[in-house]
Amino acid sequence: MTNRTLPRDPYNIVITGVGGQGNVMASRVLANMLVRRGYRVTIGETFGMSQRGGSVMSHLRVSQKAVWSPQIPKGRADLIVAIEPLEAIRVLIEYGNPGVKTLVNMRPIYPVGVITGESDYPEDGQIRAAVGELSAEAWFLDATAEAISLGNPILGNIVMIGAVAGLAELPIDGELFAAVIGEGMPAGRVEANLRAFAIGAAAAGKG
Amino acid sequence: MPIDSSHGAGDEVLLMGNEAIARGALEAGVAVAAAYPGTPSSEIIETLSGFARPGKLYVEWSTNEKVALEVAAAASFAGLRSLCVMKQNGVNVASDFLLHLVGSGTRGGMVLVSCDDPGALSSVNEGESRHFARLVEIPLLEPADFQEAKEMTRWAFDLSEELRTIVMLRSVTRMSHASGNVRLGELPSAGGSAAFLCDGPVTDAERGPMISAPVIQKHRLQQQKVAQALKRFETSPFNAYEGPARPELLIVTSSACALYSREAVGLLGTRDRVGILKLGTTWPIPPELVKRSLAAAGRVLIVEEVLPFLEEQVKVLAAEAAGEIGIKTIQGKNDGTLPMAGELNPDLVACAVAAILGIAPPALPAAYCDTLRQYAALAPRREQTFCPGCPHRASYWSIREALRRDGRGGFVCGDIGCYAMASLFPAAGFHTAKTLHAMGSGTGLASGFGKLGGFGMEQPVIAVCGDSTFYHAAVPALINAVHQQAGIVFVVLDNSGTAMTGFQPHPGTETNAMGDRAPVVDIAALCRAIGTEVAVGDPFALRETRETLNDLLERKGGVRVLILKQSCALSPEKKGKKGFLMRVDEGLCRGDACGCNRLCTRIFRCPGLLWDRQAAKARIDEVICAGCGVCAGICPVEAIRSEEAPRL
Ligand code: SF4
Ligand code: SF4
């Protein structure tokens, strides 16, 4: 078990992706783990029309003492978890700062404008450069590829939550994840989730 | 992980604001809950439906907000506690009954929850429901965190029952859809029993008929009830002050703005200079409490969304009490310190506070800002569109083709639901949908346009309407169009549920809010009964749909109805299951050389179809493609191939 104090209070996490990637579920699972550890967590979510291909963003505020606003102030994210690379850049532009750590799943989901050839999707190298320069530390994962090998691309969100645990910034681990994910999920699906979490934790692990 | 019966009193759990409101209602012993779905309010009823049990809790999705309020009121009249839930503009729909309900009074505790949407995050308006509380004169509460959302809802029932009037609780998207820790309370065990006592005289609140007359007498009575509410408000724990005893600046705020204000003051490091008066009871505001805070303060800033509702109340109070508390400078919306449109956030509040105090707003290091600027344009916009496999894309495609062939400049009157995206994002509806207003208004507008032929208007008019919207408010407009003989084509985009808000049942579905079987009110039968001809089709059959539409457009006469039936791509029976395995035959796809000018990806724009720049050909993205098979009918050279997917 990693230490139980937060690097900062409130500790601000942005989980971002595209509608349909399991963004909301990821934020709920992570928040539930932290609530079980005794923290006060606020999740702010924008998901009105998100299921229809828009950008999705959840703001998590983790605190030992208070309820924080569901919107993180601009430039105040401590950790950005991007299930889609373009969204990592979008969120860094708004919430980045010299101390932010960023986890990126490198599987792109193309905006309609890119599909139609009206706009360009930045190249892999450009994304890495931008995320690298705007973050104190950055990790690039192939969470969707890992998830597909586990049989379901949607598990990419859980790989990313595993990666958050791997950073060892927050007091969460596989055991706690197993307890939370087991609630209200058929046993048959739990196993793949546990494996996804472990893959992510190892990918971002510090050794 | 929504709350269910496995959670007990004393547990601290993570709840969405809407779940906290539902839990508060449960702890208050709510017996009847009725609503019409609307983001951001829908999760309240969804949560409650998990607790529905005969004799304990009845839950329904009503056909519209006015009916929902009537259903809930009946329960109150019969002595039960009842809840009615809607989004902000739903209150407009319910308001006629609401006005009269205030006149008649209530019996069992009755609470109206309105979830407003400052910033229009999932609405086509930024309407504010708080003004209805003042308009019809009922107590208004606004929770400012998750625990409070639960406690306040519970208390609202007590207050309503004490005063014998409906009480309104207003949430906002950033509360309703946010989540936080909530400690649960006890759930009452006994169920209620219902009886409508109505054998007394008209003035007997407990046994008389429930009517708003004699009007003047009942109106006065309501004003006495509000005065009684004010007494409670003066000492309510939902109003709290934090900060120095004599603040340089006093912020008066409510709802999510209380959290923004606290954050802003912290960011600026001005906790010793700025005090925050958070009001939970916001109409009417408790005058003594507010006066005390004003008297101690130097300047005053009102922080609220969207219109200056608190601000105006505070200003009136400050003017009336000027002799007592001195003359105060009150800033907020009217002087432009904070914007009067759009939602607020901690940064906007911090900038306003910084400007008033004459200090610098929080900023990032300059070097970092330079790097930010360098990458600011790197991420292209992510435009919203119909889901892969959405029946609406197919329907609008056929409408586009039909209108092009028709050639008289016809257009679509849009309506509220997922298919509103056709009006909001023109590319999604292939530039066919040209109006968008309230629920059912597409049909009403079409009814009007359909009578303009006598003034030389030759453009054909198509009204589209979703299945849920049909029952909600389109029926009266359709009846009007039939009776007035308006020349329109009325297209029902029937995707078998209220897709936009998460598949709530409606009168056309076989189950109700509690999961029980329910009789279906058949749209086609209803249309035929009011005297229209009805064609029914499958929007995925592109050619047939287009031909039917052209045929209907050419016919003379009044209302012609086409029902396009195909369930939503995200519906439980379809989600994750592909009907077809798709591929693009690279040999057939002519790429840029094709005369189609990338019809598939540039115009049709299903996210499951990619334009592969290197190969300069179309390609299917198997992760995104929902396997609906529709695009196979788009490609003029039939390069997009479909093969029936194996059944799992
Ligand atoms: S949720 Fe259903 S109806 Fe709405 S855009 Fe997606 S597929 Fe279409
Ligand atoms: S089959 Fe074609 S139209 Fe249907 S979801 Fe797949 S790519 Fe889109």
Side-chain angles (χ1 to χ4, degrees), chain A residues 51-52, chain B residues 386-387 390-392 418 421 495 499 568-570:
Chain A
Q51 55 187 180
R52 283 144 290 256
Chain B
F386 298 120
C387 300
C390 176
H392 299 326
C418 282
M421 277 192 281
N495 60 2
C568 162
L570 300 184

Side-chain angles (χ1 to χ4, degrees), chain B residues 388-389 393 582 604 606-609 620 624-632 640:
Chain B
R393 180 179 292 103
M582 308 299 294
F604 186 64
C606 173
L609 264 172
I620 297 285
I624 308 287
C625 167
C628 71
V630 167
C631 56
I640 306 176

Side-chain angles (χ1 to χ4, degrees), chain B residues 581-591 600 609 611 615-620 631-632 635 637-642:
Chain B
L581 296 177
M582 308 299 294
R583 72 188 170 83
V584 175
D585 187 321
E586 289 190 28
L588 289 175
C589 174
R590 295 187 197 157
C600 53
L609 264 172
W611 186 253
K617 294 200 171 180
R619 181 162 66 78
I620 297 285
C631 56
C635 173
V637 295
E638 294 178 15
I640 306 176
R641 317 294 297 181
S642 63

Side-chain angles (χ1 to χ4, degrees), chain B residues 37-258:
Chain B
T39 314
S41 71
S42 310
E43 295 82 4
I44 298 173
I45 291 290
E46 277 164 7
T47 303
L48 289 175
S49 61
F51 289 82
R53 256 179 300 138
K56 195 101 210 271
L57 173 62
Y58 169 77
V59 178
E60 77 169 42
W61 286 120
S62 311
T63 44
N64 65 35
E65 292 85 354
K66 176 167 174 279
V67 174
L69 194 65
E70 288 154 354
V71 166
S76 165
F77 295 171
L80 298 173
R81 289 191 159 191
S82 69
L83 177 73
C84 187
V85 184
M86 54 198 65
K87 72 179 293 175
Q88 76 278 8
N89 46 312
V91 185
N92 302 10
V93 176
S95 62
D96 197 4
F97 177 70
L98 180 62
L99 176 64
H100 293 90
L101 177 64
V102 171
S104 76
T106 54
R107 285 181 190 164
M110 182 172 179
V111 178
L112 167 62
V113 175
S114 166
C115 300
D116 287 12
D117 191 16
L121 301 169
S122 48
S123 306
V124 293
N125 65 76
E126 211 181 16
E128 238 209 80
S129 65
R130 293 190 297 177
H131 296 266
F132 278 102
R134 178 160 64 186
L135 189 68
V136 303
E137 299 165 89
I138 54 175
L140 174 66
L141 309 175
E142 292 185 70
D145 70 38
F146 311 95
Q147 187 73 43
E148 195 170 80
K150 178 179 85 69
E151 307 308 342
M152 203 179 248
T153 307
R154 195 162 99 172
W155 184 67
F157 283 94
D158 294 340
L159 182 66
S160 163
E161 216 154 85
E162 179 194 332
L163 302 176
R164 294 290 194 258
T165 183
I166 185 170
V167 170
M168 181 163 164
L169 183 134
R170 182 242 198 180
S171 179
V172 292
T173 305
R174 297 288 183 188
M175 287 301 308
S176 279
H177 277 180
S179 306
N181 300 44
V182 176
R183 190 168 293 282
L184 304 180
E186 294 287 347
L187 294 179
S189 50
S193 75
F196 180 35
L197 310 178
C198 50
D199 53 0
V202 73
T203 47
D204 185 340
E206 304 309 317
R207 302 200 70 100
M210 297 303 272
I211 58 172
S212 59
V215 174
I216 308 305
Q217 193 178 328
K218 293 273 175 94
H219 192 181
R220 268 194 205 113
L221 179 63
Q222 183 63 18
Q223 288 164 350
Q224 285 159 17
K225 291 176 183 178
V226 170
Q228 182 67 21
L230 261 187
K231 286 197 195 133
R232 299 276 171 277
F233 289 180
E234 289 286 1
T235 55
S236 165
F238 299 126
N239 303 321
Y241 174 78
E242 64 184 51
R246 302 203 65 84
E248 209 174 306
L249 175 68
L250 171 73
I251 293 179
V252 182
T253 184
S254 67
S255 191
C257 291

Side-chain angles (χ1 to χ4, degrees), chain B residues 409-441:
Chain B
F411 59 92
V412 172
C413 292
D415 220 306
I416 302 296
C418 282
Y419 54 101
M421 277 192 281
S423 305
L424 295 170
F425 315 113
F430 312 119
H431 300 270
T432 54
K434 303 296 184 186
T435 72
L436 181 64
H437 300 82
M439 296 277 292
S441 295

